[in-house]
Amino acid sequence: MSRILLKTEDHSRDSAGMRYVYPVISRRAGGVSVGINLNPNNACNWRCIYCQVPDLQRGGPPPIDLVLLERELHDFLTWANSGDFMATRVPLGARQLVDVAFSGNGEPTSAIEFADAVAVVQRVLAVHGLTDKVLVRLITNGSLLDRKAVQTGIARIGSAGGEVWFKLDSGTAAGLTRVNGTRARPELVARRLACCAGLAPTWVQTCLFRLDNELPAAHEVDAWLALLAPLAPLLAGVHLYSLARPSQQKEAPRLARIEAGWLEELAERVRQTGLTVRVSP
């Protein structure tokens, strides 16, 4: 396996030479995040213009080999806890396991085995004595929250003290189409977000950037806040962030990181709703 140090700018899915398990340094999680990639075929039901997945295609994942997933996670945690992983692959200051995150190269909940995969992860963490030390996270676009099996998986995460990061990049139908490549209606997104928050502690995560050198339009920001505000009592908080790694989509040349000061100004507006806000420029 490569001895190159992991870094926040590179979230390569093959960094451990495994099919489903990949470690990254997460600037928002604050250490080593153990990614679970249930979409190894680079297929997703959305197409976000800032997505870092190369050769992204529309669709769902292939069948998940849960036995292989369990073995890979067990082997990686053994390497991280008892081997040389931290010393040889992780920079000083980030040498701690902070979470196991369902993320990867597409929407994790699109795998029909999602709920079973959550159970596998929880079982392996228990074997390694990490149940109370390493958080289980789901990073999701929330589009499949109407499925009972998805709700079951999220409820398992919530009952074990884990949490969900729910993508919300726009509060208008036009914005959702432009940024995420989806025809989802804002009122449906809000309903799914409320459902998710009832199953597990839920953070909204919002990616903000300049498009064609323009800041997000004022009416778009207002609509996003209007969608968020009524749900504030249900939510754990909001992650505001900008581009950390280059997009691999055709729109990449049109995108640019947004200024930290602009994000902080928006964060103050969000805090007026009573929500906790974390900013990652």
Side-chain angles (χ1 to χ4, degrees):
M1 297 180 184
S2 170
R3 295 298 184 185
I4 298 174
L5 284 177
L6 299 176
K7 52 187 178 181
T8 57
E9 296 83 4
D10 182 5
H11 281 197
S12 174
R13 307 313 194 217
D14 61 358
S15 57
M18 298 177 177
R19 180 170 177 80
Y20 298 117
V21 174
Y22 65 99
V24 300
I25 304 298
S26 172
R27 61 182 183 142
R28 285 186 286 153
V32 176
S33 176
V34 184
I36 304 296
N37 181 16
L38 299 184
N39 304 78
N41 60 342
N42 295 0
C44 188
N45 62 341
W46 284 18
R47 195 193 73 80
C48 301
I49 62 176
Y50 56 80
C51 183
Q52 299 96 24
V53 175
D55 303 317
L56 183 69
Q57 59 183 314
R58 292 278 192 169
I64 305 302
D65 185 339
L66 293 170
V67 174
L68 177 58
L69 170 60
E70 185 163 2
R71 184 168 69 245
E72 285 188 351
L73 184 57
H74 171 75
D75 289 348
F76 176 76
L77 292 177
T78 300
W79 183 28
N81 288 326
S82 306
D84 65 355
F85 171 77
M86 290 294 183
T88 61
R89 300 294 304 280
V90 182
L92 287 172
R95 292 177 179 172
Q96 59 176 341
L97 290 176
V98 291
D99 69 14
V100 174
F102 286 90
S103 181
N105 289 5
E107 172 52 40
T109 65
S110 61
I112 61 174
E113 304 88 352
F114 167 67
D116 292 331
V118 172
V120 165
V121 167
Q122 292 173 332
R123 182 164 64 245
V124 176
L125 288 175
V127 168
H128 286 263
L130 295 173
T131 298
D132 297 325
K133 300 176 183 178
V134 174
L135 201 67
V136 177
R137 282 193 174 98
L138 166 65
I139 300 176
T140 180
N141 61 30
S143 60
L144 303 175
L145 254 295
D146 298 328
R147 296 181 179 179
K148 292 299 183 183
V150 172
Q151 294 176 18
T152 296
I154 293 175
R156 286 177 179 169
I157 290 173
S159 64
E163 65 184 27
V164 178
W165 291 0
F166 188 110
K167 182 191 300 290
L168 180 63
D169 293 329
S170 177
T172 70
L176 290 166
T177 298
R178 180 174 57 254
V179 175
N180 305 123
T182 177
R183 295 182 179 178
R185 303 185 309 276
E187 60 271 21
L188 181 57
V189 174
R191 190 186 76 195
R192 289 169 174 163
L193 178 55
C195 175
C196 188
L199 298 168
T202 299
W203 289 77
V204 163
Q205 61 164 15
T206 300
C207 184
L208 296 156
F209 48 86
R210 285 182 176 268
L211 179 62
D212 298 326
N213 203 36
E214 296 292 331
L215 289 166
H219 75 275
E220 284 282 351
V221 175
D222 291 345
W224 176 83
L225 281 166
L227 190 155
L228 196 61
L231 301 174
L234 306 177
L235 299 172
V238 176
H239 287 284
L240 296 179
Y241 67 106
S242 193
L243 306 175
R245 301 176 300 282
S247 169
Q248 297 296 316
Q249 309 312 309
K250 64 182 181 180
E251 293 88 354
R254 302 171 58 196
L255 310 181
R257 185 177 291 191
I258 215 161
E259 293 80 359
W262 191 94
L263 288 175
E264 288 292 350
E265 289 178 5
L266 178 57
E268 282 304 311
R269 293 181 66 184
V270 178
R271 291 184 183 110
Q272 292 174 15
T273 70
L275 281 164
T276 298
V277 185
R278 296 175 182 171
V279 178
S280 300

